[in-house]
Amino acid sequence: MLELKGEIIALIVAVSWTATAIFAEISTKRLGTLVMNVVRMSMSIILLAALLFCVTGSPIPQHTDSSVWLWLGLSGLVGYVFGDFCLFKSYTLIGSRFGQLFMTLSSLFAAVTGYLMLSESISLKASLGMLVTITGISISVLSKGDNDSKLHLKLSPQGVLYGVGAAMGQGVGLVLSKMGMVAYSECLEGLDNVEDISMMMPFSGTLIRGIIGFVGFAVLLVSSGNVSALRKGIHDRYAMTFALLATVFGPFIGVSLSLLAVSYTSTGIAQTIMSITPVLILLPAFLIFKQKITTLEMLGAVISVVGVSLFF
């Protein structure tokens, strides 16, 4: 089992992201996208800072430099402020099930961004993966009309755009996170107890991203003139409970363990396992939200995940 540590962690991440998608949909529909994200970011900062304080004696990430904060900060802006805003907005328009389905496109955006920023090659198999993933999504979201044989989009076009935007933020943010974590590793070279410090590096990196994400969402909330919605939302115990659950399973456990998973296994294997959320979420979507799930939608979700696996 120890030799599969990375794979097991990646599977835990997939389950965690499934849970956070369900919880986030419930709370976002009550709180709104901006309020939900401000609450979620603030909760994650408190949880991560408390964890770092208990383990390292300091709530602030240690042994970092400006390059670490630059790349992880940019990752926070792109992945959280842009990506998660789009993702949570898609939850309110097309639901978490389809929102997570579009997230399989994140590998496509990560591959293209890696090619542009890191000169990483895109193999023929990865190109095939892009085609398969898009095909899987198309099978799930397109249907024939009642009166003709033409294919129609059965989801809100705006929700689809937000879903694609969420995948873009996730993919680009992943590459920026990789650059930040590489810079972080370089800062640890030559230190005593490097292995012990490295164990907390994913949580420290997530905290840095969370701090920048919180600042970004707070600025958007204030500029939108919707601060009163935040005060009202804080007193909604039902929504706040699910917001806390979404935070624990999302930025605290899910994101941190995703960075840990790639430390124990290849990025490709970890990313493939973590991308099965669109399949895992089908059952809770049926049981909790009473959503009708067609055979084509299930097939499309499976095909999209197979497409992700081809990237690696």
Side-chain angles (χ1 to χ4, degrees):
M1 293 292 286
L2 290 178
E3 63 270 17
L4 297 176
K5 183 186 295 184
E7 288 80 355
I8 294 172
I9 294 174
L11 181 58
I12 294 173
V13 171
V15 174
S16 179
W17 282 347
T18 301
T20 196
I22 296 295
F23 297 143
E25 178 178 349
I26 295 172
S27 55
T28 302
K29 286 181 176 179
R30 293 177 68 96
L31 296 175
T33 304
L34 282 178
V35 172
M36 171 57 183
N37 276 292
V38 168
V39 169
R40 190 174 65 107
M41 288 292 98
S42 59
M43 287 180 173
S44 68
I45 289 173
I46 293 171
L47 290 172
L48 289 165
L51 176 64
L52 287 181
F53 179 77
C54 292
V55 177
T56 68
S58 172
I60 304 298
Q62 301 295 297
H63 311 295
T64 62
D65 61 12
S66 57
S67 64
V68 175
W69 279 85
L70 171 63
W71 293 116
L72 289 177
L74 287 174
S75 175
L77 287 175
V78 174
Y80 281 151
V81 180
F82 175 75
D84 279 4
F85 176 85
C86 289
L87 180 63
F88 283 57
K89 194 71 175 178
S90 73
Y91 286 171
T92 65
L93 296 171
I94 58 178
S96 57
R97 175 163 63 94
F98 285 109
Q100 284 298 311
L101 179 64
F102 279 102
M103 288 298 284
T104 57
L105 289 173
S106 62
S107 294
L108 184 158
F109 289 110
V112 173
T113 305
Y115 171 78
L116 295 175
M117 297 185 64
L118 302 176
S119 299
E120 295 179 346
S121 62
I122 300 178
S123 65
L124 179 61
K125 186 181 290 186
S127 300
L128 178 60
M130 296 181 189
L131 179 61
V132 172
T133 299
I134 293 173
T135 300
I137 293 174
S138 299
I139 290 174
S140 291
V141 304
L142 296 177
S143 63
K144 292 183 179 180
D146 295 331
N147 300 321
D148 56 57
S149 60
K150 293 182 179 179
L151 290 175
H152 299 274
L153 183 65
K154 60 184 180 183
L155 301 175
S156 158
Q158 188 179 19
V160 170
L161 288 177
Y162 277 119
V164 174
M168 181 185 296
Q170 174 81 5
V172 177
L174 180 64
V175 175
L176 293 171
S177 290
K178 178 178 179 179
M179 298 172 71
M181 295 303 283
V182 169
Y184 206 158
S185 297
E186 292 174 351
C187 290
L188 301 183
E189 293 179 358
L191 296 176
D192 295 330
N193 301 322
V194 172
E195 291 187 3
D196 294 336
I197 298 174
S198 297
M199 284 293 293
M200 296 307 299
M201 190 169 66
F203 299 96
S204 297
T206 305
L207 177 57
I208 293 173
R209 296 181 73 222
I211 291 172
I212 302 302
F214 171 78
V215 172
F217 280 121
V219 170
L220 289 177
L221 183 67
V222 172
S223 61
S224 69
N226 209 21
V227 178
S228 59
L230 176 61
R231 290 193 293 265
K232 180 181 178 181
I234 292 175
H235 293 92
D236 187 337
R237 293 185 178 181
Y238 184 83
M240 292 297 288
T241 297
F242 283 99
L244 177 60
L245 290 171
T247 302
V248 171
F249 285 96
F252 186 62
I253 294 177
V255 176
S256 298
L257 289 186
S258 70
L259 298 179
L260 190 62
V262 297
S263 300
Y264 290 105
T265 188
S266 69
T267 303
I269 292 175
Q271 184 64 38
T272 300
I273 295 174
M274 291 186 295
S275 296
I276 66 174
T277 298
V279 176
L280 296 180
I281 203 172
L282 293 175
L283 181 59
F286 172 75
L287 295 176
I288 297 174
F289 298 124
K290 309 301 180 184
Q291 295 177 358
K292 180 182 178 181
I293 301 172
T294 66
T295 302
L296 281 180
E297 289 172 356
M298 289 189 288
L299 178 62
V302 172
I303 290 175
S304 68
V305 172
V306 170
V308 171
S309 69
L310 291 176
F311 276 86
F312 312 103

